Amino acid sequence: MTATRDDKFARFAALHRPGAPLVLWNAWDAGSAAAVARSGAAAVATGSASVAQAMGFEDGEALPLDLLVTIAERVVLAAGDLPVSIDFEGAYAADPAPASANALRLARAGAVGINFEDSVIGGEGVHPAPAQAARIAAIVATCAEAGLPVHVNARIDLFIRAGDPAAHRGLMAEALERAAAYAEAGAGSIYPITLSDPELVAEFCASCPAPTNIFGPPGGPEGVAALAALGVARISYGPRPWREAMAGLEAAARAALG
């Protein structure tokens, strides 16, 4: 039986379980999505850097929105009955109305989830928490009103912008305030990207009102198990699959060319 979009949305939301995380080995096009689906994955998600670079663009919404929607359609087809989440960066719009209209295009393409960051694309810093919460609320409401609900994975970019892990402890209070605001606005999960210290990850998971997504560590199943024990509900790998695939392709080409 072919899964309906409603089935996929409900299944995707239910896969976010603290202690038994959804693992997403991020794809970048239809071919990689099909490969991930054949691996036995429970869902397919893309990474923005990978998708952009595979098409010859830089990350940061340089990839045209129309092309992103087309890629999303092809990824959804390649994923078959698996739910698909599309990395949407900053929704290609700073204001709630156009951001939600853009998100609806991805929902109509078949995506049941989006990854949505609070960085100011092409600018400095992050959006104020109330402004980002308003964008999340608009996206959730617009898609729901169209009968195409989406699971918003709300990315918090404080840690990645800080760079130095030593600064992460000092950012926890603001990050958790953002998490609460984003969850109240309707986000289905929260992604404090690059937060990695086990103590801080456990603290974030325990205090966050929505399931927590953490960037995937090296170490395969052992790394996943360690994050699961901290209460993580979703693990994604961003551009790592693309980089590993391209490194393998280059090595194979070098070998073939002598």
Side-chain angles (χ1 to χ4, degrees), residues 28 47-63 71 89 92 242:
W28 56 88
S48 65
S50 310
V51 171
Q53 291 166 19
M55 297 302 298
F57 294 91
E58 293 300 316
D59 198 15
E61 296 184 1
L63 180 77
I71 292 168
E89 301 192 79
Y92 286 74
W242 155 259

PDB file of all heavy atoms in Angstrom, residues 28 47-63 71 89 92 242:
ATOM      1  N   TRP A  28      21.284  14.606  -1.018  1.00  0.00           N
ATOM      2  CA  TRP A  28      21.419  15.885  -1.731  1.00  0.00           C
ATOM      3  C   TRP A  28      20.715  15.889  -3.081  1.00  0.00           C
ATOM      4  O   TRP A  28      20.604  16.935  -3.710  1.00  0.00           O
ATOM      5  CB  TRP A  28      22.892  16.240  -1.901  1.00  0.00           C
ATOM      6  CG  TRP A  28      23.704  15.184  -2.597  1.00  0.00           C
ATOM      7  CD1 TRP A  28      23.907  15.040  -3.944  1.00  0.00           C
ATOM      8  CD2 TRP A  28      24.414  14.106  -1.976  1.00  0.00           C
ATOM      9  NE1 TRP A  28      24.686  13.950  -4.200  1.00  0.00           N
ATOM     10  CE2 TRP A  28      25.039  13.352  -3.000  1.00  0.00           C
ATOM     11  CE3 TRP A  28      24.599  13.703  -0.645  1.00  0.00           C
ATOM     12  CZ2 TRP A  28      25.807  12.222  -2.733  1.00  0.00           C
ATOM     13  CZ3 TRP A  28      25.374  12.586  -0.394  1.00  0.00           C
ATOM     14  CH2 TRP A  28      25.973  11.863  -1.423  1.00  0.00           C
ATOM     15  N   GLY A  47      20.542  18.114   3.166  1.00  0.00           N
ATOM     16  CA  GLY A  47      21.351  19.141   3.811  1.00  0.00           C
ATOM     17  C   GLY A  47      21.576  20.256   2.819  1.00  0.00           C
ATOM     18  O   GLY A  47      21.892  20.009   1.651  1.00  0.00           O
ATOM     19  N   SER A  48      21.423  21.498   3.253  1.00  0.00           N
ATOM     20  CA  SER A  48      21.451  22.617   2.294  1.00  0.00           C
ATOM     21  C   SER A  48      22.791  22.763   1.595  1.00  0.00           C
ATOM     22  O   SER A  48      22.839  23.024   0.382  1.00  0.00           O
ATOM     23  CB  SER A  48      21.085  23.926   3.001  1.00  0.00           C
ATOM     24  OG  SER A  48      22.057  24.271   3.974  1.00  0.00           O
ATOM     25  N   ALA A  49      23.893  22.614   2.327  1.00  0.00           N
ATOM     26  CA  ALA A  49      25.207  22.767   1.700  1.00  0.00           C
ATOM     27  C   ALA A  49      25.411  21.712   0.624  1.00  0.00           C
ATOM     28  O   ALA A  49      25.918  22.001  -0.469  1.00  0.00           O
ATOM     29  CB  ALA A  49      26.310  22.694   2.744  1.00  0.00           C
ATOM     30  N   SER A  50      25.006  20.493   0.919  1.00  0.00           N
ATOM     31  CA  SER A  50      25.168  19.397  -0.028  1.00  0.00           C
ATOM     32  C   SER A  50      24.330  19.616  -1.284  1.00  0.00           C
ATOM     33  O   SER A  50      24.814  19.432  -2.408  1.00  0.00           O
ATOM     34  CB  SER A  50      24.765  18.078   0.627  1.00  0.00           C
ATOM     35  OG  SER A  50      25.392  17.924   1.875  1.00  0.00           O
ATOM     36  N   VAL A  51      23.077  19.989  -1.095  1.00  0.00           N
ATOM     37  CA  VAL A  51      22.184  20.215  -2.230  1.00  0.00           C
ATOM     38  C   VAL A  51      22.730  21.341  -3.115  1.00  0.00           C
ATOM     39  O   VAL A  51      22.788  21.218  -4.342  1.00  0.00           O
ATOM     40  CB  VAL A  51      20.758  20.548  -1.744  1.00  0.00           C
ATOM     41  CG1 VAL A  51      19.878  20.995  -2.910  1.00  0.00           C
ATOM     42  CG2 VAL A  51      20.126  19.341  -1.048  1.00  0.00           C
ATOM     43  N   ALA A  52      23.139  22.429  -2.480  1.00  0.00           N
ATOM     44  CA  ALA A  52      23.653  23.566  -3.246  1.00  0.00           C
ATOM     45  C   ALA A  52      24.922  23.200  -3.998  1.00  0.00           C
ATOM     46  O   ALA A  52      25.044  23.455  -5.207  1.00  0.00           O
ATOM     47  CB  ALA A  52      23.905  24.743  -2.305  1.00  0.00           C
ATOM     48  N   GLN A  53      25.880  22.589  -3.305  1.00  0.00           N
ATOM     49  CA  GLN A  53      27.167  22.291  -3.929  1.00  0.00           C
ATOM     50  C   GLN A  53      27.032  21.243  -5.032  1.00  0.00           C
ATOM     51  O   GLN A  53      27.774  21.277  -6.021  1.00  0.00           O
ATOM     52  CB  GLN A  53      28.163  21.869  -2.864  1.00  0.00           C
ATOM     53  CG  GLN A  53      28.556  23.029  -1.962  1.00  0.00           C
ATOM     54  CD  GLN A  53      29.276  22.610  -0.699  1.00  0.00           C
ATOM     55  OE1 GLN A  53      29.808  21.506  -0.605  1.00  0.00           O
ATOM     56  NE2 GLN A  53      29.288  23.487   0.297  1.00  0.00           N
ATOM     57  N   ALA A  54      26.089  20.317  -4.884  1.00  0.00           N
ATOM     58  CA  ALA A  54      25.873  19.326  -5.938  1.00  0.00           C
ATOM     59  C   ALA A  54      25.392  19.977  -7.223  1.00  0.00           C
ATOM     60  O   ALA A  54      25.585  19.430  -8.319  1.00  0.00           O
ATOM     61  CB  ALA A  54      24.870  18.280  -5.468  1.00  0.00           C
ATOM     62  N   MET A  55      24.785  21.159  -7.091  1.00  0.00           N
ATOM     63  CA  MET A  55      24.289  21.887  -8.262  1.00  0.00           C
ATOM     64  C   MET A  55      25.208  23.032  -8.659  1.00  0.00           C
ATOM     65  O   MET A  55      24.871  23.845  -9.531  1.00  0.00           O
ATOM     66  CB  MET A  55      22.882  22.427  -7.979  1.00  0.00           C
ATOM     67  CG  MET A  55      21.838  21.349  -7.733  1.00  0.00           C
ATOM     68  SD  MET A  55      21.667  20.193  -9.125  1.00  0.00           S
ATOM     69  CE  MET A  55      21.118  21.282 -10.424  1.00  0.00           C
ATOM     70  N   GLY A  56      26.382  23.134  -8.018  1.00  0.00           N
ATOM     71  CA  GLY A  56      27.345  24.149  -8.390  1.00  0.00           C
ATOM     72  C   GLY A  56      27.156  25.493  -7.726  1.00  0.00           C
ATOM     73  O   GLY A  56      27.702  26.498  -8.186  1.00  0.00           O
ATOM     74  N   PHE A  57      26.398  25.532  -6.620  1.00  0.00           N
ATOM     75  CA  PHE A  57      26.162  26.776  -5.896  1.00  0.00           C
ATOM     76  C   PHE A  57      26.805  26.709  -4.514  1.00  0.00           C
ATOM     77  O   PHE A  57      27.090  25.627  -4.002  1.00  0.00           O
ATOM     78  CB  PHE A  57      24.655  27.029  -5.723  1.00  0.00           C
ATOM     79  CG  PHE A  57      23.908  27.275  -7.004  1.00  0.00           C
ATOM     80  CD1 PHE A  57      23.334  26.219  -7.697  1.00  0.00           C
ATOM     81  CD2 PHE A  57      23.779  28.561  -7.514  1.00  0.00           C
ATOM     82  CE1 PHE A  57      22.641  26.437  -8.884  1.00  0.00           C
ATOM     83  CE2 PHE A  57      23.090  28.788  -8.696  1.00  0.00           C
ATOM     84  CZ  PHE A  57      22.520  27.725  -9.380  1.00  0.00           C
ATOM     85  N   GLU A  58      26.988  27.865  -3.911  1.00  0.00           N
ATOM     86  CA  GLU A  58      27.430  27.914  -2.531  1.00  0.00           C
ATOM     87  C   GLU A  58      26.228  27.797  -1.604  1.00  0.00           C
ATOM     88  O   GLU A  58      25.087  28.046  -1.993  1.00  0.00           O
ATOM     89  CB  GLU A  58      28.185  29.220  -2.252  1.00  0.00           C
ATOM     90  CG  GLU A  58      29.508  29.332  -2.984  1.00  0.00           C
ATOM     91  CD  GLU A  58      30.470  28.216  -2.617  1.00  0.00           C
ATOM     92  OE1 GLU A  58      30.591  27.907  -1.409  1.00  0.00           O
ATOM     93  OE2 GLU A  58      31.104  27.656  -3.525  1.00  0.00           O
ATOM     94  N   ASP A  59      26.491  27.412  -0.346  1.00  0.00           N
ATOM     95  CA  ASP A  59      25.445  27.382   0.674  1.00  0.00           C
ATOM     96  C   ASP A  59      25.010  28.815   0.979  1.00  0.00           C
ATOM     97  O   ASP A  59      25.701  29.775   0.638  1.00  0.00           O
ATOM     98  CB  ASP A  59      25.996  26.707   1.931  1.00  0.00           C
ATOM     99  CG  ASP A  59      24.908  26.228   2.876  1.00  0.00           C
ATOM    100  OD1 ASP A  59      23.736  26.152   2.447  1.00  0.00           O
ATOM    101  OD2 ASP A  59      25.239  25.921   4.033  1.00  0.00           O
ATOM    102  N   GLY A  60      23.852  28.977   1.615  1.00  0.00           N
ATOM    103  CA  GLY A  60      23.395  30.309   1.986  1.00  0.00           C
ATOM    104  C   GLY A  60      22.355  30.877   1.039  1.00  0.00           C
ATOM    105  O   GLY A  60      22.363  32.068   0.737  1.00  0.00           O
ATOM    106  N   GLU A  61      21.466  30.022   0.549  1.00  0.00           N
ATOM    107  CA  GLU A  61      20.364  30.417  -0.336  1.00  0.00           C
ATOM    108  C   GLU A  61      20.834  30.949  -1.682  1.00  0.00           C
ATOM    109  O   GLU A  61      20.118  31.698  -2.360  1.00  0.00           O
ATOM    110  CB  GLU A  61      19.424  31.416   0.363  1.00  0.00           C
ATOM    111  CG  GLU A  61      18.728  30.804   1.574  1.00  0.00           C
ATOM    112  CD  GLU A  61      17.707  31.719   2.236  1.00  0.00           C
ATOM    113  OE1 GLU A  61      17.500  32.847   1.752  1.00  0.00           O
ATOM    114  OE2 GLU A  61      17.131  31.296   3.264  1.00  0.00           O
ATOM    115  N   ALA A  62      22.063  30.564  -2.111  1.00  0.00           N
ATOM    116  CA  ALA A  62      22.499  30.878  -3.473  1.00  0.00           C
ATOM    117  C   ALA A  62      21.770  29.992  -4.482  1.00  0.00           C
ATOM    118  O   ALA A  62      21.572  30.389  -5.636  1.00  0.00           O
ATOM    119  CB  ALA A  62      24.006  30.692  -3.604  1.00  0.00           C
ATOM    120  N   LEU A  63      21.377  28.799  -4.071  1.00  0.00           N
ATOM    121  CA  LEU A  63      20.585  27.912  -4.920  1.00  0.00           C
ATOM    122  C   LEU A  63      19.209  28.550  -5.135  1.00  0.00           C
ATOM    123  O   LEU A  63      18.513  28.871  -4.169  1.00  0.00           O
ATOM    124  CB  LEU A  63      20.415  26.551  -4.231  1.00  0.00           C
ATOM    125  CG  LEU A  63      19.606  25.496  -4.972  1.00  0.00           C
ATOM    126  CD1 LEU A  63      20.444  24.881  -6.092  1.00  0.00           C
ATOM    127  CD2 LEU A  63      19.145  24.401  -4.012  1.00  0.00           C
ATOM    128  N   ILE A  71      14.166  20.017  -6.937  1.00  0.00           N
ATOM    129  CA  ILE A  71      14.965  18.965  -6.302  1.00  0.00           C
ATOM    130  C   ILE A  71      14.145  18.260  -5.233  1.00  0.00           C
ATOM    131  O   ILE A  71      14.172  17.026  -5.108  1.00  0.00           O
ATOM    132  CB  ILE A  71      16.265  19.557  -5.715  1.00  0.00           C
ATOM    133  CG1 ILE A  71      17.179  20.030  -6.844  1.00  0.00           C
ATOM    134  CG2 ILE A  71      16.986  18.546  -4.832  1.00  0.00           C
ATOM    135  CD1 ILE A  71      18.351  20.879  -6.374  1.00  0.00           C
ATOM    136  N   GLU A  89      17.043  26.243   4.955  1.00  0.00           N
ATOM    137  CA  GLU A  89      17.849  27.385   5.394  1.00  0.00           C
ATOM    138  C   GLU A  89      16.976  28.421   6.103  1.00  0.00           C
ATOM    139  O   GLU A  89      16.341  28.118   7.094  1.00  0.00           O
ATOM    140  CB  GLU A  89      18.628  27.961   4.213  1.00  0.00           C
ATOM    141  CG  GLU A  89      19.565  26.931   3.580  1.00  0.00           C
ATOM    142  CD  GLU A  89      20.538  27.538   2.614  1.00  0.00           C
ATOM    143  OE1 GLU A  89      21.539  28.107   3.074  1.00  0.00           O
ATOM    144  OE2 GLU A  89      20.289  27.438   1.391  1.00  0.00           O
ATOM    145  N   TYR A  92      14.182  31.597   2.558  1.00  0.00           N
ATOM    146  CA  TYR A  92      14.287  32.499   1.417  1.00  0.00           C
ATOM    147  C   TYR A  92      13.458  33.767   1.601  1.00  0.00           C
ATOM    148  O   TYR A  92      13.040  34.399   0.632  1.00  0.00           O
ATOM    149  CB  TYR A  92      13.874  31.790   0.131  1.00  0.00           C
ATOM    150  CG  TYR A  92      14.897  30.782  -0.381  1.00  0.00           C
ATOM    151  CD1 TYR A  92      15.077  29.552   0.251  1.00  0.00           C
ATOM    152  CD2 TYR A  92      15.686  31.065  -1.490  1.00  0.00           C
ATOM    153  CE1 TYR A  92      16.013  28.622  -0.209  1.00  0.00           C
ATOM    154  CE2 TYR A  92      16.625  30.148  -1.962  1.00  0.00           C
ATOM    155  CZ  TYR A  92      16.782  28.935  -1.314  1.00  0.00           C
ATOM    156  OH  TYR A  92      17.713  28.031  -1.786  1.00  0.00           O
ATOM    157  N   TRP A 242      27.745  13.977   1.887  1.00  0.00           N
ATOM    158  CA  TRP A 242      28.178  14.536   0.598  1.00  0.00           C
ATOM    159  C   TRP A 242      29.697  14.561   0.517  1.00  0.00           C
ATOM    160  O   TRP A 242      30.285  14.131  -0.486  1.00  0.00           O
ATOM    161  CB  TRP A 242      27.587  15.930   0.439  1.00  0.00           C
ATOM    162  CG  TRP A 242      28.321  16.863  -0.469  1.00  0.00           C
ATOM    163  CD1 TRP A 242      29.177  17.867  -0.093  1.00  0.00           C
ATOM    164  CD2 TRP A 242      28.276  16.900  -1.897  1.00  0.00           C
ATOM    165  NE1 TRP A 242      29.658  18.528  -1.202  1.00  0.00           N
ATOM    166  CE2 TRP A 242      29.122  17.957  -2.325  1.00  0.00           C
ATOM    167  CE3 TRP A 242      27.608  16.154  -2.856  1.00  0.00           C
ATOM    168  CZ2 TRP A 242      29.312  18.278  -3.657  1.00  0.00           C
ATOM    169  CZ3 TRP A 242      27.791  16.474  -4.203  1.00  0.00           C
ATOM    170  CH2 TRP A 242      28.629  17.519  -4.598  1.00  0.00           C
TER     171      TRP A 242
END
